Amino acid sequence: MGLKKRMKLPTGRAPVIAALDVGSTKVTCLIAQVDDTGDSANPDIRVLGIGHQGARGVRSGVITDMEAAEDVVLACVGQAERMAGTTILSAMVNISSASLRSRIIREEVGLLHGDVTDGDVRRVMRDAHARVQAGNRQTLHTIPVGFSVDENKGVRDPRGMVGETLSVRLNEVSVDPSPLRNIGLCVERCHVEPEGPVFSAYASALGALVEDEMELGVTVVELGGGTTSIASFFEGRLVFAKTFSVGGQHVTQDIARGLSTPLAHAERMKVLYGSTMASPHDDREMIDVPPIGEEQSRTANHVPRSMLIGIVKPRIEETFEFVREALIDSGVERVAGHRIVLTGGGSQLNGLREYAGRFFDAHVRIGRPRGLAGLPEAATGPAFATAGGLLAYDFRAPEEGLAAAPGRVSALLGLIGLGRGSGRSAA
């Protein structure tokens, strides 16, 4: 997957970019026009077309039926193209496989002249690159966390400092190659070249967070249909990432099994009556539950809302426990665990924001796509944060060059503020 190719509108106006969010419950395609005549780092992005289809052939972020998934992606792209009045050649895509892993790589070199030069910085970067390329996993992102000169940690620009050693810490986010290849193949079969790919929660963060949150410390919890992904930031950098094979679909399945009702009715009950916060009236509020196989019958079971909440809450608690344990085990809970931003369709569950605040003892808000003009009202919710972040990826997250080739080291230097061409921070 290479660099994004920008399309031109038939009128030859501004370039066009596209994003394709392939999830377990929905597929979204956004086509947008970019006006970077002003600030090239923060251009105006105007959505021209949107396609939105229920997903098929995808489970927990992995393709399970290529033909079914291809049909949905093709319909979604076609819908967006008709609305935009243009045909796309490529699209930035996402990945949310449970095989995703985040690790910190530390590389150290001795200083040849006593003080840190540009050559020393490039040398430690190239050595780190060699370690990133080792192994049989596919690297998605390689993000510099910071430099150290001897025992002085947290250095952003080490040039000119005096010492004996220079080290760099990089956060490498990688996945098993098989799920990545299958998603790429699915998109290619729809006559669209896949670009990226981008870790889903990272894309959500780029689409929903503000700079101060990334600087002070924050964790994005993306509650998708088949997976839950987290992306933790501190001092403007992605410091931790992880994905779990549990999401909103599992809550729906719990309801269907627990109340012996069809999945479609279970989903409807979850959306309309589901909650994580109990109220004094739940025992008296009755819900109609049609039994499986008797949907057309006028007879239906009646259960109190408290029973539904008793099914929903344990699964949400389990999911949040996975998140909390991951933050604690990784060591980032102290710097990024006191501020939580919830994204994804699952974050729209009634009472979830308040419950998350109590569970994590943190400030919690719902993250929605920001910085996109022309986005339809129906697409401004947290379920579209990933698609919005994919559109903005080129501008809010500069190239993480170590993941691609040694020749991209200069791009990475720009990412951390040491190059000439970029003043943008690593989102």
Side-chain angles (χ1 to χ4, degrees):
M1 296 184 182
L3 295 177
K4 178 183 292 186
K5 296 177 178 61
R6 292 187 175 181
M7 289 69 72
K8 291 282 187 178
L9 286 172
T11 56
R13 290 177 293 174
V16 170
I17 57 176
L20 189 58
D21 174 9
V22 181
S24 301
T25 55
K26 70 173 179 63
V27 176
T28 303
C29 179
L30 294 180
I31 300 175
Q33 184 178 8
V34 180
D35 182 5
D36 55 4
T37 55
D39 185 357
S40 61
N42 296 284
D44 294 328
I45 303 176
R46 175 170 293 278
V47 175
L48 302 176
I50 178 172
H52 181 214
Q53 300 282 329
R56 287 185 290 115
V58 183
R59 180 180 299 170
S60 297
V62 176
I63 301 290
T64 57
D65 186 331
M66 182 65 72
E67 186 173 347
E70 179 187 344
D71 289 343
V72 173
V73 171
L74 194 60
C76 188
V77 171
Q79 184 181 3
E81 288 179 333
R82 287 190 295 273
M83 183 175 177
T86 187
T87 301
I88 63 173
L89 303 176
S90 63
M92 191 69 75
V93 300
N94 65 312
I95 182 74
S96 57
S97 168
S99 67
L100 183 136
R101 185 181 70 188
S102 174
R103 64 168 180 157
I104 297 294
I105 296 174
R106 184 178 184 274
E107 188 63 39
E108 180 179 297
V109 297
L111 296 177
L112 303 178
H113 307 290
D115 59 339
V116 181
T117 65
D118 287 343
D120 294 322
V121 175
R122 297 178 188 281
R123 187 157 50 94
V124 74
M125 289 292 191
R126 290 191 178 95
D127 289 351
H129 172 264
R131 295 184 58 187
V132 168
Q133 292 297 315
N136 58 358
R137 293 174 62 84
Q138 176 68 46
T139 299
L140 298 179
H141 309 288
T142 309
I143 301 187
V145 177
F147 290 95
S148 297
V149 178
D150 293 342
E151 298 301 319
N152 298 320
K153 300 180 180 179
V155 177
R156 292 202 174 189
D157 185 351
R159 294 176 302 176
M161 297 182 66
V162 177
E164 296 181 356
T165 60
L166 171 67
S167 62
V168 64
R169 295 172 67 241
L170 304 172
N171 180 22
E172 182 205 13
V173 181
S174 63
V175 294
D176 289 339
S178 179
L180 199 59
R181 292 195 194 106
N182 285 320
I183 287 183
L185 178 60
C186 176
V187 176
E188 285 177 350
R189 288 172 61 167
C190 297
H191 312 292
V192 176
E193 183 178 352
E195 304 294 344
V198 182
F199 169 46
S200 292
Y202 187 27
S204 286
L206 297 176
L209 295 184
V210 297
E211 290 185 8
D212 282 350
E213 287 176 318
M214 292 184 177
E215 189 68 27
L216 296 174
V218 65
T219 293
V220 171
V221 180
E222 186 196 37
L223 297 160
T227 60
T228 294
S229 302
I230 59 176
S232 298
F233 293 80
F234 182 63
E235 294 184 345
R237 314 287 163 82
L238 177 69
V239 295
F240 179 67
K242 193 172 181 63
T243 296
F244 313 97
S245 294
V246 60
Q249 281 183 327
H250 297 83
V251 178
T252 302
Q253 291 168 1
D254 290 345
I255 297 171
R257 293 190 182 101
L259 300 180
S260 190
T261 192
L263 286 169
H265 288 279
E267 177 68 20
R268 181 176 180 273
M269 286 191 298
K270 180 183 74 173
V271 173
L272 294 179
Y273 308 108
S275 179
T276 53
M277 304 292 287
S279 73
H281 309 291
D282 291 337
D283 287 330
R284 297 192 296 272
E285 183 177 352
M286 304 303 291
I287 302 173
D288 291 340
V289 183
I292 292 180
E294 301 180 27
E295 295 91 334
Q296 304 303 322
S297 174
R298 294 184 178 181
T299 61
N301 297 326
H302 304 283
V303 302
R305 186 170 184 245
S306 59
M307 181 178 293
L308 177 64
I309 294 175
I311 295 174
V312 171
K313 189 175 179 179
R315 179 66 78 171
I316 298 299
E317 184 175 4
E318 176 193 44
T319 303
F320 282 172
E321 191 61 46
F322 287 151
V323 172
R324 181 163 62 186
E325 289 179 359
L327 294 178
I328 293 174
D329 291 345
S330 66
V332 303
E333 192 270 342
R334 180 176 58 86
V335 297
H338 300 292
R339 191 172 291 101
I340 305 291
V341 175
L342 302 176
T343 63
S347 66
Q348 299 174 99
L349 183 68
N350 292 329
L352 189 64
R353 175 179 175 178
E354 293 78 8
Y355 180 74
R358 296 181 184 181
F359 187 93
F360 293 108
D361 189 21
H363 173 76
V364 179
R365 74 173 180 90
I366 303 297
R368 295 176 171 81
R370 47 186 299 275
L372 301 177
L375 196 63
E377 182 66 27
T380 58
F384 294 88
T386 295
L390 290 173
L391 276 184
Y393 178 77
D394 273 352
F395 312 103
R396 296 179 187 169
E399 283 291 331
E400 295 110 20
L402 286 181
R408 296 280 184 81
V409 170
S410 59
L412 187 58
L413 294 177
L415 171 65
I416 57 180
L418 302 186
R420 295 181 178 179
S422 176
R424 294 173 286 178
S425 63

